[in-house]
Amino acid sequence: MPANANVFIHYGPYDSCGVVDHREHRLQGMKYVLENKGHKVDFVQINDRNIIEIWVNGERIFTDDIRQLDFGGDGHLDPKCSDALEAVNQAF
């Protein structure tokens, strides 16, 4: 994958403190890791609950439960961010 890929992170709402809503707090580490490698990251809200999907070139290359991502931080210690980066780098 070229270093300047357009990466779309589709994310659904999840429950936090009894309120179900779309939140990007858990996605910041993943965004940071991907942008540090030269990728352009855009967030897209979807209706599927607790889901995160990464799309590159119209193809879904990674999916997981958004609640498994670390809250805040830069993503370097989050193994899910490393898995997502690897999937993006192998997307072609």
Side-chain angles (χ1 to χ4, degrees):
M1 171 60 57
N4 56 355
N6 290 326
V7 178
F8 295 93
I9 299 179
H10 295 215
Y11 67 100
Y14 65 94
D15 182 14
S16 178
C17 300
V19 178
V20 177
D21 199 7
H22 288 89
R23 295 176 183 84
E24 296 178 0
H25 305 295
R26 293 183 181 271
L27 303 175
Q28 294 307 314
M30 185 171 290
K31 180 180 180 183
Y32 181 77
V33 166
L34 291 170
E35 286 181 341
N36 265 355
K37 296 297 182 181
H39 304 294
K40 182 181 178 292
V41 177
D42 291 311
F43 291 136
V44 179
Q45 292 183 357
I46 59 175
N47 291 327
D48 296 335
R49 218 172 183 187
N50 305 321
I51 295 295
I52 179 174
E53 299 176 343
I54 296 181
W55 291 73
V56 176
N57 295 329
E59 182 180 347
R60 184 177 64 194
I61 60 165
F62 181 83
T63 186
D64 208 341
D65 189 326
I66 194 169
R67 298 170 297 175
Q68 299 299 315
L69 296 172
D70 289 343
F71 186 85
D74 62 5
H76 289 297
L77 299 177
D78 189 346
K80 297 293 182 177
C81 291
S82 298
D83 295 344
L85 178 61
E86 184 178 335
V88 169
N89 288 336
Q90 297 178 3
F92 259 108

